[in-house]
Amino acid sequence: YRLCYVMQKAEKRLNAILRKSKNSGIPVENLKNLDVVQTIYHLKHPGNRKRYVFAVLTGFLFALAIAFNNSECLIELPQDSSKIFREPENCDICIGVDHVNKVQNISPADFEDHYVAKGRPVVITDGTKGWSAVNTFTFEFFKELYQKTNRDGFSKTECQFFPYKTEFKSLEEALNMSSARSRLELGTLPWYIGWSNCNDEAGKILRKHYDRPYFLPEKSENIALNWIFMGGPGFGAHMHVDNVQYPSWQAQLRGQKIWKLAPPPECFYKCHELQVTVAPGEIIVVDTNRWYHQTYIPPGDISITIGAEFD
């Protein structure tokens, strides 16, 4: 476990260095002298294995250097690769938890003490009270918003896009699907997508329609980067664990979404899987770095959610 923790820290530092060196022109062979590379080098046993690991790492750095010169995307990794470097979890987050509480009118102090501090998921049923987003955010709203605020093309400001099981390659392509398909008409292909908003102009318009959730502790900061997920009945996200910095809240604006939560593998024999249906107007709060999660959209209306991290 200690080895995994050290490897995780070394990996994060190496990635940060590589990002900063993109335009520096530093020869890749010079990177092997960095202490972070030496840390990974000394984590292995001496002898042939050590020389092998160092050779593989040097080759990896060389491949990354080539990728820097040819693409914004360094390397395509499996979506579940973050699990390899995940630090072992304390099972206190799930021991004795057999369902997800649904609460309302909760104070920031109680929210912090009963859920955030303990790493336990919760649904706040009055979380979006007073938000115009519940009635405003639709497929057509997002399409018009991004067409208006992306005058130089979507790719200029699009941060990250998740096509899930659709054929779409970008948010622009998804928002230009046929009207019949966007309305989930019979005979059209199902779809579910997600994206992060990196368009400042669009972000200002979006935030006119919702507030910082009232239950967040005063000392917490609501991360400005917002995530939006939208789609019709069927599976949403596959079972996975995130690799983000903080816990997240996700507001259900339209439709319903079923969340299936699973404890980390080391807690398999101590904890239970959980399932909860989040209805329109409710907000679910989950530390998605610690709880494995999967979503499903039940038959009915299109599901639209918006969320963000908070610390």
Side-chain angles (χ1 to χ4, degrees):
Y1 288 159
R2 175 63 182 170
L3 175 62
C4 289
Y5 174 71
V6 175
M7 286 289 288
Q8 183 183 33
K9 294 189 69 175
E11 181 204 24
K12 288 183 177 179
R13 187 176 176 200
L14 178 59
N15 286 336
I17 291 172
L18 289 172
R19 286 195 298 269
K20 292 180 180 179
S21 65
K22 180 176 180 180
N23 298 314
S24 65
I26 299 176
V28 66
E29 57 268 17
N30 291 352
L31 295 178
K32 67 182 180 181
N33 296 319
L34 295 174
D35 62 332
V36 65
V37 177
Q38 294 298 320
T39 296
I40 299 175
Y41 175 70
H42 289 297
L43 284 174
K44 300 297 181 179
H45 296 295
N48 292 333
R49 181 182 297 180
K50 183 158 56 178
R51 288 193 293 272
Y52 171 76
V53 170
F54 190 74
V56 170
L57 179 61
T58 302
F60 177 64
L61 291 174
F62 180 74
L64 288 177
I66 294 174
F68 273 133
N69 293 325
N70 293 288
S71 174
E72 291 293 327
C73 181
L74 295 181
I75 186 170
E76 191 73 23
L77 293 175
Q79 291 183 335
D80 295 334
S81 61
S82 61
K83 298 176 186 177
I84 300 173
F85 301 101
R86 184 181 59 82
E87 186 177 356
E89 188 56 70
N90 186 329
C91 296
D92 286 346
I93 67 169
C94 58
I95 291 178
V97 180
D98 56 9
H99 68 283
V100 178
N101 286 346
K102 285 200 171 190
V103 301
Q104 63 180 348
N105 195 31
I106 186 171
S107 69
D110 286 343
F111 173 71
E112 170 77 19
D113 293 342
H114 298 321
Y115 300 105
V116 179
K118 296 179 180 180
R120 298 187 175 181
V122 62
V123 172
I124 293 84
T125 60
D126 60 349
T128 65
K129 185 177 181 179
W131 289 13
S132 59
V134 175
N135 298 315
T136 303
F137 288 2
T138 63
F139 179 91
E140 292 76 17
F141 170 85
F142 290 121
K143 181 176 182 177
E144 182 178 348
L145 172 67
Y146 283 100
Q147 287 178 340
K148 178 181 178 181
T149 59
N150 287 273
R151 301 177 185 87
D152 296 327
F154 281 65
S155 61
K156 299 290 184 180
T157 52
E158 183 179 324
C159 181
Q160 194 168 9
F161 174 71
F162 291 110
Y164 293 106
K165 294 184 178 181
T166 69
E167 76 282 10
F168 303 124
K169 300 296 190 295
S170 67
L171 176 60
E172 180 177 18
E173 187 176 328
L175 291 179
N176 281 315
M177 73 174 75
S178 69
S179 297
R181 188 177 181 186
S182 72
R183 293 193 296 267
L184 311 176
E185 291 185 5
L186 187 64
T188 59
L189 293 174
W191 60 276
Y192 181 83
I193 59 173
W195 72 93
S196 59
N197 178 65
C198 289
N199 181 327
D200 290 338
E201 186 178 353
K204 292 178 182 178
I205 297 174
L206 290 171
R207 282 187 285 275
K208 290 180 180 179
H209 297 285
Y210 66 93
D211 300 314
R212 178 177 179 270
Y214 76 87
F215 51 82
L216 292 184
E218 293 183 3
K219 64 181 180 180
S220 73
E221 291 290 335
N222 193 39
I223 308 305
L225 181 66
N226 295 120
W227 289 91
I228 302 167
F229 299 93
M230 179 170 60
F235 284 101
H238 67 288
M239 182 64 76
H240 68 290
V241 65
D242 291 337
N243 185 23
V244 294
Q245 289 185 297
Y246 304 109
S248 305
W249 60 265
Q250 189 175 125
Q252 191 72 34
L253 303 178
R254 287 190 59 182
Q256 295 184 328
K257 183 179 289 186
I258 299 172
W259 287 71
K260 184 177 181 180
L261 306 176
E266 56 269 33
C267 306
F268 181 79
Y269 293 105
K270 301 178 181 179
C271 302
H272 304 283
E273 287 190 350
L274 310 175
Q275 183 169 300
V276 63
T277 299
V278 185
E282 298 181 340
I283 295 181
I284 184 171
V285 181
V286 183
D287 191 337
T288 57
N289 297 300
R290 308 172 76 182
W291 285 88
Y292 283 69
H293 50 288
Q294 178 182 9
T295 58
Y296 178 81
I297 313 302
D301 195 9
I302 186 175
S303 169
I304 298 179
T305 62
I306 188 167
E309 300 173 54
F310 68 95
D311 70 352

